[in-house]
Amino acid sequence: MPQTAASVSTTESLDTELARAAAVPLPEADRLAGRFPVTPHPLPATQAQRAQALGDLHFGRVFSDHMAHARWTRDGGWDAHEIRAYGDLTLSPAAAVLHYGQEVFEGIKAYRHDDGTVWTFRPRYNAARLNLSCRRMALPELPEEDFVASLVDLVRTDVEWVPSGEGESLYLRPFAFASEAFLGVRAAELVDYYLIASPSGAYFPNGLKPVSIWVTQDYHRAGRGGTGAAKTGGNYASSLLPQRLAAEQGCDQVCFLDDVTGDNLEELGGMNLMVVDADGTVRTPRLTGTILEGSTRSAILRLLLDAGRTVVETTISLEGLLEGIASGKVREVFACGTAAVVVPLGRLRGDGFDVTIKGAEVTHEIHDRLTGIQYGRVPDPYGWMYRLV
Ligand SMILES: *Cc1c(COP(=O)(O)O)cnc(C)c1O
């Protein structure tokens, strides 16, 4: 699309380390397959059990028959790559992750297209982000192609666990943690990487439903120099109390402000934020080091820009947002992330304010555009989709 005046904007995020990594082509799945040799589950779910599980999908409770695993030692590097039966782990009670939280994770989905093929979305983005998180958490990096190979080998092994209903997917959860049995405080010298898979239903089976948000002024998700840009369990642990307090206020989710001024919007516990103005401009908090750089956020910025919109990464103050909603300058606010895709915000509450947001037109538009690409209903001009099976 030609560069029009309307598409001039400050979208630093289209050229971050993750965006650049995601753009490097991957070998076809056939060439990566086999890096994680399969030891089949001795007693996999029967077809009837699987059909029952796939017939009543929620999120994160049911898991496929297998999991991928590799182990890292300081002396030997990554080794022992395998696909084996999904099951409980044996872990020393002294494993460092249980005490010091040295852990990272990812979230990515496998989508079944109408022709039966199975695809994933920008896997190299998640591979690079896992490594960015690993660096921050002093964990060893996993070669990006091995990360993608684990997706290929697990999804090929458990392909029958990829659901085919509207909005359904096989949610993939890669994670790595310090398994060394040692209570000394230093980076672990024994680390395990796993990938598990959970068939999941549409986040909004009956169409996008606006959620209510509690903006916390008492707690922050991340601070300068902290771990906010890493996908690590500790960030989620620290969000659980404010999330519970938000729920006690009758809100669905909690939104965090920056810790320096306490004025500016950052993100939800696990989703990035976007604001749509009445003039069609879309604004999102810029990446300051305390915000997690979402793959969904990145893709949406690209789609909006290519649709000719003005897209701005900037500072968004809570006060300015509330004024904008009151004056009609702000039409829509939505959150975005892999699990839920796009979530319209219908109500913003906090100490001393309670406002409703009615619009969701651009939110729906972007949801349909992005899921259209992910489910193969429309062409993918970006090469975002990667065929697994
Ligand atoms: C994972 C995550 C997101 C969304 O990232 P996606 O790559 O879009 O799934 C946003 N914020 C936080 C804090 C996250 O952990």
Side-chain angles (χ1 to χ4, degrees):
M1 171 164 285
Q3 188 82 358
T4 61
S7 67
V8 175
S9 55
T10 54
T11 44
E12 309 160 307
S13 292
L14 298 176
D15 191 35
T16 61
E17 180 190 334
L18 297 187
R20 281 193 298 275
V24 176
L26 277 165
E28 281 182 22
D30 279 349
R31 296 193 36 224
L32 295 180
R35 291 193 189 191
F36 288 74
V38 183
T39 303
H41 195 307
L43 214 70
T46 63
Q47 201 172 339
Q49 286 167 331
R50 196 171 53 239
Q52 189 181 16
L54 294 183
D56 181 29
L57 289 176
H58 302 277
F59 179 79
R61 287 205 187 274
V62 170
F63 298 92
S64 69
D65 287 319
H66 296 85
M67 59 188 180
H69 172 233
R71 168 161 283 190
W72 180 89
T73 55
R74 200 192 57 173
D75 296 335
W78 288 107
D79 194 15
H81 305 67
E82 58 173 343
I83 302 284
R84 65 163 199 251
Y86 175 91
D88 293 351
L89 308 181
T90 303
L91 201 61
S92 163
V97 64
L98 302 177
H99 306 274
Y100 309 128
Q102 195 190 1
E103 185 266 359
V104 297
F105 70 97
E106 270 303 321
I108 184 169
K109 285 170 166 177
Y111 309 87
R112 191 181 287 283
H113 289 184
D114 286 343
D115 63 1
T117 57
V118 177
W119 301 70
T120 192
F121 183 76
R122 289 178 103 187
R124 204 156 204 152
Y125 193 98
N126 298 77
R129 190 170 65 189
L130 183 86
N131 286 339
L132 185 148
S133 303
C134 282
R135 281 202 290 285
R136 180 62 185 87
M137 302 308 292
L139 286 163
E141 295 180 37
L142 183 70
E144 289 176 9
E145 287 189 5
D146 285 353
F147 174 92
V148 179
S150 71
L151 308 181
V152 170
D153 283 327
L154 182 62
V155 173
R156 287 186 172 199
T157 305
D158 283 344
V159 64
E160 291 178 67
W161 285 93
V162 184
S164 56
E166 175 83 26
E168 297 176 352
S169 63
L170 184 64
Y171 182 80
L172 301 166
R173 169 54 60 86
F175 59 105
F177 61 87
S179 46
E180 184 184 358
F182 179 49
L183 296 182
V185 181
R186 60 147 169 73
E189 297 180 355
L190 184 67
V191 172
D192 282 285
Y193 166 78
Y194 284 92
L195 166 65
I196 56 177
S198 176
S200 59
Y203 196 86
F204 293 111
N206 304 312
L208 300 187
K209 196 173 130 293
V211 301
S212 56
I213 300 290
W214 180 262
V215 183
T216 177
Q217 283 154 310
D218 300 326
Y219 298 95
H220 299 284
R221 196 191 77 88
R224 278 183 301 178
T227 57
K231 216 167 171 69
T232 183
N235 293 339
Y236 280 70
S238 79
S239 76
L240 298 178
L241 174 63
Q243 172 63 40
R244 190 163 73 193
L245 297 173
E248 282 169 16
Q249 296 284 345
C251 288
D252 298 310
Q253 294 271 331
V254 63
C255 174
F256 294 96
L257 302 173
D258 81 287
D259 72 306
V260 177
T261 67
D263 293 334
N264 302 321
L265 296 178
E266 294 218 306
E267 58 176 320
L268 308 190
M271 278 188 275
N272 296 121
L273 279 175
M274 305 238 174
V275 174
V276 185
D277 291 335
D279 68 3
T281 300
V282 179
R283 293 179 289 144
T284 191
R286 54 185 290 255
L287 303 174
T288 54
T290 48
I291 293 176
L292 196 290
E293 188 183 341
S295 151
T296 318
R297 174 187 184 278
S298 160
I300 288 175
L301 293 181
R302 177 88 261 166
L303 291 174
L304 290 167
L305 202 63
D306 289 357
R309 285 184 188 277
T310 304
V311 182
V312 190
E313 293 183 82
T314 184
T315 302
I316 303 176
S317 71
L318 175 63
E319 200 186 341
L321 181 70
L322 294 174
E323 277 170 21
I325 293 169
S327 72
K329 184 181 168 285
V330 169
R331 276 275 164 75
E332 309 177 28
V333 183
F334 66 89
C336 60
T338 298
V341 195
V342 163
V343 180
L345 307 197
R347 191 169 173 192
L348 271 186
R349 288 173 55 204
D351 270 335
F353 63 91
D354 181 352
V355 299
T356 54
I357 307 159
K358 298 235 165 54
E361 199 183 317
V362 176
T363 306
H364 278 90
E365 198 178 290
I366 210 68
H367 172 273
D368 293 350
R369 178 93 181 91
L370 184 56
T371 55
I373 292 175
Q374 289 171 334
Y375 286 91
R377 292 188 294 260
V378 301
D380 163 28
Y382 303 103
W384 284 339
M385 302 311 292
Y386 180 79
R387 186 169 167 186
L388 296 169
V389 187

